[in-house]
Amino acid sequence: MDKTFQEEFTQIIKFEPPLYKQRHQFVKDLVEKYKPKKVADLGCADCSLLWMLKFCSCIEVLAGLDICANVMKEKMHTLSPLPVDYLQPSERSLTVTLHHGSVAHKDPCMLGFDLVTCIELIEHLDESELKKFPEVVFGFMAPSIVVISTPNSEFNPLLSRVMSYRHPDHKFEWSQAQFRNWALEAARCYGYSVEFTGVGHPPTGMEKVGFCTQIGVFLRKYPQTGELVQSEKPTETVYKTLLFKTVKSKENTWKKINKNKTPQHNLKNPPTSKKECRILNCMNQNSLHAKNICNSVLDGIHGGLNSSFSFFNSLD
Ligand code: SAH
């Protein structure tokens, strides 16, 4: 690369929107294209991608996994249902779960997902974790779609302040060929096809460098083979659950019981059945104690690693 040309760009490359937002938008677009119902985000960190996906109406189950409980706890309260989710329930149910554990381990709670996202995760894995990763994600979890993003080391010379790796915790950063070889091998072993793309365009005239963030989208070639595969899968739980939240759909909540009354109307008229009582109680609690919800979440945050709490997780 011409040094003067390179120096000129190291001064000016700034992505707009920022690269992390472009990566998350990429996942959102994928969700809108394939409409998965169950999505798991591995290496979910501060849950910001999960928060964004919460608003995709096709998703009914969202799960996050990270090896660092503290980073997940920072903003996990943003995943809690809002009072409006109960007062104006949508057409779909949404269950959000956060797990503390490693992608190097298999846990049955990670089975049954349609889409698994691994955004800027693999470069944080050490050699032994990276070796186990394809078997856990493609072999065990075996979702229809896997999306993996990782830095493209060929872009690094264009970034100011990047001397070696982009982050001190990165164990490696791959060139386009290295990522390609690894991804093609994983896809071949576990029956996936893979398409390569990325976000963060290189400057005009430097297209060979590739995207700043390289992305592989893996699509499972064959339908899952059902019982035999399932029976071989371990059932032992290894992850710790940090958070579990469910908002039932409109159909499953008050509308089902009382078609003609608004929630306000219901509050003025005493409930007649035990079930109605529980639902209205739940709604009241939500509208009157929104603050308490926040406080409970904060309690949970301060409650330590083993804490597992849930609100309104079943009305039926
Ligand atoms: N996916 C996030 C951030 C990724 S940073 C985003 O899109 O912004 C990488 C994350 O992977 C960190 O939160 C780190 O704690 C987590 N991580 C590292 N090793 C892991 C492992 N073995 N299993 C699960 N998560 C891991």
Side-chain angles (χ1 to χ4, degrees):
M1 196 185 300
D2 177 275
K3 193 135 187 284
T4 341
F5 193 52
Q6 180 187 321
E7 273 167 7
E8 198 180 306
F9 278 114
T10 53
Q11 302 309 313
I12 57 167
I13 288 192
K14 196 173 173 234
F15 293 106
E16 195 47 55
L19 217 49
Y20 78 93
K21 283 198 179 164
Q22 292 193 36
R23 288 191 286 262
H24 291 179
Q25 187 59 47
F26 181 89
V27 173
K28 202 173 173 219
D29 293 344
L30 211 64
V31 165
E32 266 148 28
K33 179 172 173 193
Y34 290 103
K35 309 239 175 293
K37 281 190 177 169
K38 299 183 177 185
V39 180
D41 185 27
L42 311 185
C44 63
D46 66 359
C47 307
S48 51
L49 177 59
L50 290 170
W51 179 81
M52 192 175 183
L53 296 178
K54 208 179 120 165
F55 300 97
C56 296
S57 57
C58 60
I59 297 177
E60 294 176 4
V61 175
L62 263 180
L65 170 73
D66 205 287
I67 202 163
C68 178
N70 288 339
V71 71
M72 277 191 287
K73 285 175 181 177
E74 265 172 39
K75 292 193 190 152
M76 71 179 184
H77 61 278
T78 62
L79 301 174
S80 297
L82 302 168
V84 70
D85 293 329
Y86 295 100
L87 293 169
Q88 290 180 328
S90 74
E91 297 299 328
R92 54 109 189 223
S93 303
L94 176 64
T95 301
V96 184
T97 316
L98 289 182
H99 304 284
H100 175 216
S102 170
V103 288
H105 298 134
K106 297 174 182 175
D107 187 303
C109 71
M110 280 291 156
L111 291 173
F113 286 89
D114 305 309
L115 167 66
V116 169
T117 60
C118 310
I119 303 303
E120 305 298 272
L121 165 70
I122 58 170
E123 64 277 8
H124 291 265
L125 305 180
D126 65 27
E127 212 180 319
S128 69
E129 291 172 322
L130 185 68
K131 213 169 158 201
K132 291 175 188 154
F133 175 85
E135 169 54 21
V136 175
V137 175
F138 298 106
F140 174 71
M141 295 176 72
S144 323
I145 313 164
V146 178
V147 55
I148 297 180
S149 84
T150 194
N152 166 15
S153 64
E154 289 166 75
F155 205 101
N156 288 354
L158 296 178
L159 300 170
S160 53
R161 289 179 292 131
V162 174
M163 293 307 169
S164 54
Y165 292 153
R166 294 183 197 177
H167 189 279
D169 187 52
H170 286 181
K171 310 297 188 297
F172 59 86
E173 286 179 2
W174 282 337
S175 65
Q176 294 174 88
Q178 286 172 309
F179 179 51
R180 221 184 153 77
N181 290 342
W182 176 85
L184 287 170
E185 180 57 13
R188 189 191 61 76
C189 281
Y190 295 99
Y192 282 75
S193 63
V194 54
E195 279 175 20
F196 297 95
T197 177
V199 292
H201 283 273
T204 316
M206 303 192 77
E207 286 76 10
K208 268 195 175 166
V209 163
F211 291 102
C212 189
T213 295
Q214 43 188 345
I215 299 178
V217 179
F218 301 74
L219 300 179
R220 204 183 56 223
K221 285 189 193 164
Y222 316 105
Q224 260 184 318
T225 39
E227 278 174 32
L228 185 66
V229 176
Q230 289 297 329
S231 66
E232 287 167 357
K233 291 183 171 171
T235 49
E236 200 186 323
T237 301
V238 289
Y239 298 160
K240 284 173 183 154
T241 305
L242 286 189
L243 173 131
F244 175 79
K245 308 269 181 210
T246 291
V247 180
K248 291 271 178 179
S249 68
K250 196 183 210 166
E251 200 193 340
N252 287 335
T253 52
W254 63 277
K255 192 183 174 202
K256 199 171 173 185
I257 304 161
N258 202 335
K259 283 185 195 144
N260 305 320
K261 293 176 187 171
T262 62
Q264 286 79 6
H265 186 183
N266 275 324
L267 296 179
K268 279 181 212 152
N269 295 281
T272 49
S273 72
K274 206 173 154 192
K275 188 172 181 181
E276 195 172 7
C277 247
R278 282 159 61 204
I279 288 167
L280 290 175
N281 190 19
C282 165
M283 287 171 159
N284 284 338
Q285 281 177 354
N286 271 301
S287 52
L288 297 172
H289 301 301
K291 254 200 241 156
N292 290 352
I293 293 175
C294 298
N295 289 338
S296 305
V297 170
L298 287 172
D299 287 343
I301 289 168
H302 296 125
L305 203 62
N306 292 321
S307 62
S308 162
F309 54 93
S310 64
F311 296 112
F312 326 117
N313 52 2
S314 179
L315 293 172
D316 283 327

